[in-house]
Amino acid sequence: MIYRIKFYLRIAFQNLVIHKGRMSLALLGILFAVMSLVAFGNISDGLKKQIDNEIGKFGKGLIILRSGVINVAGRGTRQFGESKSLKLGDVKRIKESLPGVVEAVPFFDITYPARYEEKTLTVNIIGASDAIFKIRNLDLVMGRHFTNNEDIKAEKKAVVGYKVFDNFFQSEDPIGKYIMVYRVPTEIIGVMDEKGTDLAGQDQDLQVYIPINAFMRRYSNVDYIKGAYFKVQDGVSLIEMKQKLKAFIRKIHNMKPEQKDDFSLYTMDDIVKTQEQGIRLVSILTIIASTVSFLIGGLGIFAIMLLSISERKLEIGIRRVVGSRKRDIILQFLTESVIVALVGGALGVSVGFIITMIVSYFSHLPFSLYIGNIVLSLLISTAVGILAGIYPAIQGTKYEPVSVLYQ
């Protein structure tokens, strides 16, 4: 048995080498099908890991309240309407009145220029209470966070993102130094660890955090806020809490039933859902493209095997005369078609792996090797090889050995 298997494999590889041109064309379809399945499986797995990482960076169990109308779609959010009706007192009432809200952090964000000596950067300034650092997992590489007492006193303190520190100070110690935020000298008391871009599309390393009371009085001179983060107690449904928050805010804003909301509520899951919908759509398109490629590859192998059997009548006749059975002829040609499909599959896995590495490197995605797709692709390749080779192999057994030799 082992001898026969070795014999079939040797003949199959010899035929592959001798007719490498036509065999290469036959296996191209399989190669592209497996390549797309493997590459997309790995890349989508990497995307999911990146989404999990970014949710971890942003903070889990958060509901985000924004004044005005916000549309959550694709990567991030889009502001479609503004409102000045949201106040600091609203956030305080929500925290005191709604069970399940364990922390509430008001914020006001705006883009301002920041300057140190001759260097100027455009940064996202966020005025917030001191609890922002805890619920959004904002760790420090040096210095400290501002305190609740400093917030109450409206002190001009700043915790800056890593890129702000790197652009202004490089290797210089920034703690205790002053930068100009808009037109206000502000003392740096801390530098945040590198965070990258969050799911909302904002570069968290180009942000500067300032106590909310100082920001409203000294930097923007406003009596309203842009929004708030609500940390929800573990085990409490974010969907139900969003409904409760919506009803409560409408109540304290004295809004009539026919009035549209002057605020928006969303969670990181809402942003993730839009991204996952995009991944699912691309998955379907990839499966369709792979199916077509497998079909083309199977037809290519089928045609090549028919041609091969037609050219090898003499070989078949001699083997039949010396004692080979019809079953041996079928197994030999099936082995050849399966080997061609598997070689195409193996090359597809290799190319898919290379594409995954290139995409991961240039897009900074976590590298991921999705073994399930590789195994499935090779199994489908084997099945395609069998289906494409079975008919030509049976045709090969229909030649009469004596008449073939006579010809």
Side-chain angles (χ1 to χ4, degrees):
M1 186 63 184
I2 295 175
Y3 171 78
R4 283 184 180 176
I5 292 172
K6 286 182 178 177
F7 176 75
Y8 294 148
L9 289 175
R10 189 173 68 246
I11 295 294
F13 280 111
Q14 282 177 350
N15 198 40
L16 190 66
V17 172
I18 291 170
H19 304 290
K20 50 183 175 294
R22 68 168 69 160
M23 289 300 182
S24 298
L25 290 174
L27 58 81
L28 272 180
I30 305 292
L31 186 153
F32 285 123
V34 173
M35 176 195 74
S36 56
L37 275 180
V38 170
F40 182 74
N42 294 341
I43 292 169
S44 63
D45 203 45
L47 279 170
K48 289 172 184 171
K49 286 182 179 176
Q50 187 184 43
I51 289 171
D52 289 340
N53 291 340
E54 290 186 2
I55 288 177
K57 288 179 187 175
F58 197 91
K60 292 183 177 179
L62 284 185
I63 295 178
I64 302 154
L65 165 67
R66 297 284 304 203
S67 62
V69 179
I70 296 287
N71 181 42
V72 179
R75 185 177 175 82
T77 58
R78 300 287 184 275
Q79 182 93 35
F80 281 98
E82 290 188 353
S83 171
K84 298 180 180 178
S85 58
L86 197 61
K87 310 291 182 182
L88 275 177
D90 295 340
V91 178
K92 187 178 179 184
R93 286 182 66 181
I94 290 170
K95 185 183 178 186
E96 292 173 349
S97 307
L98 274 187
V101 175
V102 294
E103 191 58 79
V105 179
F107 68 85
F108 190 107
D109 58 345
I110 193 168
T111 300
Y112 273 160
R115 185 163 56 86
Y116 178 71
E117 295 180 342
E118 303 302 320
K119 301 171 187 172
T120 303
L121 273 180
T122 300
V123 297
N124 188 34
I125 309 293
I126 300 174
S129 65
D130 62 303
I132 186 83
F133 303 108
K134 183 180 178 184
I135 69 169
R136 288 206 54 187
N137 302 324
L138 299 173
D139 298 325
L140 298 174
V141 289
M142 65 181 80
R144 63 177 179 85
H145 299 131
F146 54 78
T147 64
N148 184 48
N149 192 40
E150 289 169 332
D151 184 18
I152 293 170
K153 292 179 179 176
E155 294 188 12
K156 295 174 285 185
K157 309 285 185 183
V159 177
V160 300
Y162 193 83
K163 284 183 182 175
V164 179
F165 152 71
D166 192 42
N167 278 278
F168 282 162
F169 301 99
Q170 297 174 344
S171 58
E172 188 181 349
D173 184 2
I175 306 302
K177 293 188 169 59
Y178 284 80
I179 59 173
M180 295 294 288
V181 177
Y182 192 43
R183 296 170 183 168
V184 182
T186 308
E187 182 188 0
I188 295 180
I189 60 170
V191 177
M192 289 185 293
D193 198 1
E194 287 185 89
K195 298 278 283 183
T197 304
D198 63 22
L199 281 174
Q202 288 189 328
D203 190 342
Q204 298 181 84
D205 298 324
L206 273 176
Q207 293 179 334
V208 174
Y209 285 86
I210 291 172
I212 182 72
N213 286 300
F215 189 85
M216 293 174 70
R217 293 179 206 168
R218 303 176 188 275
Y219 294 78
S220 287
N221 190 28
V222 293
D223 65 345
Y224 61 92
I225 57 174
K226 291 280 190 75
Y229 297 108
F230 296 105
K231 175 74 174 175
V232 176
Q233 188 177 5
D234 291 342
V236 175
S237 166
L238 290 178
I239 296 173
E240 291 178 9
M241 185 53 72
K242 273 174 66 179
Q243 293 171 344
K244 291 179 181 176
L245 273 169
K246 181 178 179 179
F248 190 80
I249 297 169
R250 287 184 63 87
K251 179 182 174 184
I252 60 178
H253 284 186
N254 297 316
M255 299 181 74
K256 297 176 181 176
E258 65 273 15
Q259 281 184 288
K260 292 184 178 178
D261 295 338
D262 60 351
F263 59 91
S264 302
L265 288 165
Y266 60 93
T267 65
M268 295 311 294
D269 289 342
D270 295 327
I271 297 176
V272 169
K273 279 178 187 172
T274 61
Q275 296 196 351
E276 289 181 341
Q277 284 171 357
I279 293 174
R280 274 197 292 274
L281 177 62
V282 178
S283 298
I284 293 170
L285 294 176
T286 303
I287 290 170
I288 292 172
S290 299
T291 303
V292 172
S293 297
F294 271 124
L295 185 62
I296 294 172
L299 289 174
I301 294 173
F302 176 79
I304 295 298
M305 293 307 297
L306 272 182
L307 178 64
S308 178
I309 284 169
S310 173
E311 291 175 344
R312 292 160 65 186
K313 285 181 184 176
L314 182 61
E315 175 193 333
I316 294 170
I318 292 172
R319 289 189 58 191
R320 290 295 307 280
V321 167
V322 297
S324 290
R325 294 164 295 181
K326 289 184 177 180
R327 186 179 63 185
D328 298 325
I329 302 299
I330 291 174
L331 284 176
Q332 179 191 324
F333 284 101
L334 269 183
T335 304
E336 290 182 19
S337 64
V338 170
I339 288 296
V340 172
L342 277 178
V343 169
L347 290 174
V349 170
S350 303
V351 177
F353 181 76
I354 293 170
I355 290 174
T356 305
M357 291 182 68
I358 293 172
V359 171
S360 299
Y361 178 79
F362 285 104
S363 62
H364 306 293
L365 279 178
F367 179 77
S368 179
L369 196 58
Y370 190 37
I371 301 297
N373 262 16
I374 295 174
V375 174
L376 178 65
S377 301
L378 293 178
L379 287 175
I380 295 175
S381 300
T382 304
V384 169
I386 293 172
L387 291 173
I390 189 72
Y391 178 77
I394 292 173
Q395 286 298 105
T397 63
K398 292 183 178 178
Y399 297 129
E400 287 297 330
V402 176
S403 64
V404 168
L405 292 176
Y406 180 76
Q407 290 173 10

